[in-house]
Amino acid sequence: MNSQPSQVNSQSGTQGDRILIFDTTLRDGEQSPGATLNGDEKLAIAKQLARLGVDIIEAGFPFASPGDFDAVQRIAGTVGTENGPTICGLARATRQDIQAAADALKPAVRGRIHTFIATSDIHLEYKLKKSRAEVLAIAEEMVAFAKSFVKDVEFSPEDAGRSDPEFLYAVLERAIAAGATTVNIPDTVGYMTPSEFGGLIRGIKENVPNIDRAVISVHGHNDLGLAVANFLEAVKNGARQLECTVNGIGERAGNAALEELVMAMHVRRQYFNPFLGRPVESEAPLTNIDTKQIHYTSHLVSKLTGMLVQPNKAIVGSNAFAHESGIHQDGVLKNRLTYEIMDAQSIGLTTNQIVLGKHSGRNAFRTRLKELGFDLSEQDLNKAFVRFKDIADKKIDIGDRELMAIVQDETQHQGTDGFKLERVQVICGDRECPTATVTLCLPDGREITDAAIGTGPVDAVYRAINRIAEVPNQLIEFSVQSVVAGIDAMGEVTIRLQHKDRIYSGHSANTDIIVASAQAYLNALNRLHHSIQNPSLHPQGFQDFVVQPAAHA
Ligand code: KIV
Ligand code: ZN
């Protein structure tokens, strides 16, 4: 790994005329209940984040488990290329965490270690059981330790929003003196209001003597629905890196939403320009994001995490660009600007209705997928093409949304070590007792068939699967949506299962919703099964916080 800090970071961040986008979908986003991703899915999202143009990808918490370590390492090697983003790994302020992050990041051209320790009195007393003096010393020592591996070190005082500002200034000064190149200010519990958060950033600028040696970053949760507003106020007061997630997914109410921040600064750039020292009328983008990739990225993250996007969600909700009332429609037809502040095409929503059908060949299929941003390996392309032909035989036209569903389903959902659906058949109707027969291939290679009756066909399928798989769980959510309008549309099924205190999601699309339901259920079950066998640590949990003395490092 080249240990130079991110070029973008050193060129633009500290010059202060551009906002760095630090995406934490794969770390904080993946901490959302039920959003667990496997390694292939994480890699697919990381590749798309690189296409989207984020500056830094926080790829995970490598110390959490061997699976998390591998995922960060793969992303570092595949996406952290010369022209790619900086790849970051999270580490608590302990030697073993920092060592794991440094090891996982080695393949990246530009790697960043992000280390953190809480600074609020409530966290010190109940979580860390440490004094302020101890936290100050740990922050300094661990930043210096991280610096011995990489030049690009980010430090976060967790729960900064509820920390005593004077103590915060002191910790930040020591972290910067020890080598932190970015200091990130988290509103961990989503408690702050915009003017308070802006004031906090201004206070840091004014009271941390060496602050000009680091980029000020912000991180915030959306418990009061204020995360994006807080960040925009932070930008006005000197923050130059924003930590956000696609669709705003994350712990509890989520993180600040990437697409909302980026589009706010894009649509209102003339408002923000002066705060970045630019002429008001400058048209130069404030971020490096290719806004046309936003819609697809949102869709991909939603499908792979199983976190559905609410229809009225700003920017990426299905209603975000829809006009129902006749008065609005009339206005938009006469002049779009009467009721629209941005163009649907600017986020990559296309009116392009290119459709493929059963006579379309491999070349047309490959070309359209390339246009949609998929760069598939030959093997994935073959799998997706077989599935496409199968669906095209049942359905006359296949549009872009359906193509995306096919490709995502075929190439990204099938774990190699889980249960596989071999066959599913149901009998149902108003005079029938819903009965399902299911054949599964087990992780050890055995093929088992069983049958069950249920209150309906999907219930019968799930009971039959449970009889074979024997993985205890509780179904807590089941939803079916059509990929596009129309009676012959493909159905997309999203499932959420609970096991003990954790939630697991699964997703699948098919023209037959019973098959999609069975597959989605198995995808969720496979995640559950995998995580029972590979437990992983939560970075912000109450586990004992042990700082190993240097001699044992
Ligand atoms: O919310 C938070 O404080 C975090 C830190 C680890 C940055 O996620
Ligand atoms: Zn967070």
Side-chain angles (χ1 to χ4, degrees):
M1 175 176 38
N2 172 346
S3 53
Q4 291 303 311
S6 150
Q7 284 170 7
V8 186
N9 191 338
S10 53
Q11 284 169 3
S12 329
T14 45
Q15 277 175 12
D17 67 345
R18 187 161 85 66
I19 302 296
L20 300 170
I21 298 295
F22 175 111
D23 182 277
T24 183
T25 306
L26 295 174
R27 198 278 297 170
D28 216 338
E30 210 228 359
Q31 288 174 211
S32 320
T36 328
L37 297 160
N38 67 33
D40 289 346
E41 291 165 340
K42 286 184 184 170
L43 187 61
I45 291 178
K47 285 184 180 170
Q48 179 56 26
L49 290 172
R51 259 182 236 130
L52 179 67
V54 307
D55 300 285
I56 303 109
I57 295 178
E58 187 164 51
F61 171 39
F63 188 71
S65 70
D68 288 76
F69 182 95
D70 288 349
V72 176
Q73 195 176 44
R74 269 175 86 192
I75 292 170
T78 316
V79 184
T81 56
E82 188 58 49
N83 298 319
T86 294
I87 308 299
C88 175
L90 184 71
R92 294 169 303 176
T94 71
R95 287 179 184 270
Q96 70 272 32
D97 277 34
I98 292 171
Q99 181 72 58
D103 291 344
L105 292 169
K106 265 189 198 137
V109 173
R110 285 178 298 282
R112 171 184 296 189
I113 297 176
H114 175 191
T115 187
F116 73 99
I117 187 163
T119 48
S120 64
D121 288 338
I122 188 168
H123 276 237
L124 262 60
E125 185 176 348
Y126 294 100
K127 184 169 101 161
L128 299 178
K129 299 188 175 52
K130 297 210 179 291
S131 66
R132 287 188 179 186
E134 284 173 307
V135 166
L136 209 58
I138 293 169
E140 181 172 23
E141 189 186 333
M142 291 303 121
V143 168
F145 184 55
K147 196 78 178 176
S148 68
F149 299 103
V150 287
K151 287 211 172 136
D152 190 352
V153 174
E154 174 169 328
F155 171 73
S156 292
E158 189 189 8
D159 205 16
R162 293 190 301 171
S163 301
D164 169 6
E166 293 302 326
F167 179 53
L168 191 62
Y169 303 152
V171 177
L172 294 176
E173 184 182 352
R174 294 272 279 270
I176 296 170
T181 38
T182 299
V183 286
N184 177 47
I185 311 304
D187 179 17
T188 303
V189 290
Y191 180 69
M192 303 206 80
T193 64
S195 63
E196 284 173 328
F197 202 51
L200 179 63
I201 302 304
R202 196 169 52 250
I204 288 168
K205 273 200 87 131
E206 286 167 1
N207 293 291
V208 177
N210 50 4
I211 195 68
D212 55 341
R213 284 163 46 192
V215 174
I216 302 180
S217 166
V218 285
H219 178 107
H221 288 264
N222 208 25
D223 299 66
L224 295 175
L226 295 174
V228 168
N230 286 347
F231 277 30
L232 295 176
E233 211 52 33
V235 165
K236 289 163 60 181
N237 285 282
R240 293 297 175 262
Q241 173 181 287
L242 306 182
E243 299 202 358
C244 45
T245 59
V246 175
N247 301 335
I249 65 169
E251 206 70 82
R252 305 183 309 280
N255 286 66
L258 179 149
E259 61 281 359
E260 294 178 21
L261 290 164
V262 167
M263 290 312 284
M265 289 185 292
H266 177 68
V267 172
R268 300 302 312 277
R269 54 190 176 277
Q270 301 199 334
Y271 172 77
F272 286 102
N273 277 337
F275 296 103
L276 284 97
R278 304 166 171 218
V280 175
E281 63 286 352
S282 169
E283 285 295 327
L286 274 94
T287 71
N288 190 41
I289 297 295
D290 174 0
T291 62
K292 288 205 157 61
Q293 293 287 338
I294 286 179
H295 171 67
Y296 173 65
T297 313
S298 157
H299 193 70
L300 180 71
V301 168
S302 170
K303 294 309 155 203
L304 295 187
T305 57
M307 305 286 292
L308 299 180
V309 176
Q310 78 203 49
N312 60 325
K313 163 87 178 63
I315 317 295
V316 291
S318 55
N319 286 354
F321 291 92
H323 296 273
E324 176 132 66
S325 114
I327 296 176
H328 284 196
Q329 282 176 357
D330 186 45
V332 170
L333 289 175
K334 287 183 176 128
N335 181 339
R336 197 178 57 75
L337 298 180
T338 50
Y339 282 101
E340 269 184 18
I341 57 165
M342 59 194 150
D343 182 349
Q345 288 179 9
S346 65
I347 63 148
L349 259 173
T350 166
T351 46
N352 186 350
Q353 277 311 322
I354 292 182
V355 288
L356 300 179
K358 65 176 176 183
H359 298 299
S360 306
R362 260 175 77 90
N363 251 344
F365 181 71
R366 184 205 302 268
T367 306
R368 189 68 198 133
L369 286 183
K370 273 221 158 119
E371 285 163 2
L372 290 173
F374 290 98
D375 195 7
L376 299 188
S377 69
E378 210 49 31
Q379 192 192 6
D380 282 346
L381 185 82
N382 288 344
K383 278 202 290 180
F385 187 64
V386 170
R387 177 85 188 283
F388 160 75
K389 278 291 186 191
D390 186 39
I391 290 174
D393 270 346
K394 298 180 192 144
K395 193 179 175 316
I396 301 166
D397 292 332
I398 297 184
D400 289 346
R401 294 286 303 268
E402 291 157 310
L403 269 184
M404 280 158 69
I406 292 172
V407 173
Q408 284 163 8
D409 223 43
E410 249 341 274
T411 61
Q412 288 154 15
H413 267 265
Q414 314 296 335
T416 46
D417 54 351
F419 299 97
K420 287 200 183 64
L421 181 68
E422 293 297 328
R423 200 168 309 123
V424 55
Q425 188 189 339
V426 293
I427 299 169
C428 62
D430 62 350
R431 306 282 158 95
E432 306 289 343
C433 179
T435 310
T437 309
V438 172
T439 304
L440 296 188
C441 180
L442 305 194
D444 62 11
R446 279 178 303 141
E447 226 179 72
I448 304 219
T449 301
D450 209 331
I453 55 172
T455 51
V458 174
D459 184 45
V461 169
Y462 290 178
R463 284 171 190 269
I465 291 177
N466 284 342
R467 286 173 65 91
I468 304 172
E470 293 181 326
V471 180
N473 72 83
Q474 200 191 346
L475 177 66
I476 55 168
E477 201 178 308
F478 169 82
S479 84
V480 191
Q481 282 180 323
S482 65
V483 176
V484 289
I487 193 74
D488 63 347
M490 289 172 72
E492 285 184 297
V493 175
T494 304
I495 288 286
R496 281 154 85 80
L497 303 178
Q498 186 160 4
H499 174 72
K500 297 196 173 149
D501 57 350
R502 287 200 65 182
I503 296 172
Y504 303 86
S505 65
H507 169 265
S508 186
N510 201 293
T511 45
D512 184 324
I513 61 161
I514 299 295
V515 179
S517 303
Q519 190 58 62
Y521 190 66
L522 275 182
N523 287 338
L525 219 53
N526 280 337
R527 283 173 206 251
L528 193 170
H529 182 63
H530 184 265
S531 98
I532 291 175
Q533 288 170 339
N534 306 277
S536 91
L537 200 67
H538 190 295
Q540 292 164 274
F542 273 65
Q543 305 94 357
D544 278 346
F545 184 88
V546 185
V547 181
Q548 292 161 339
H552 299 290

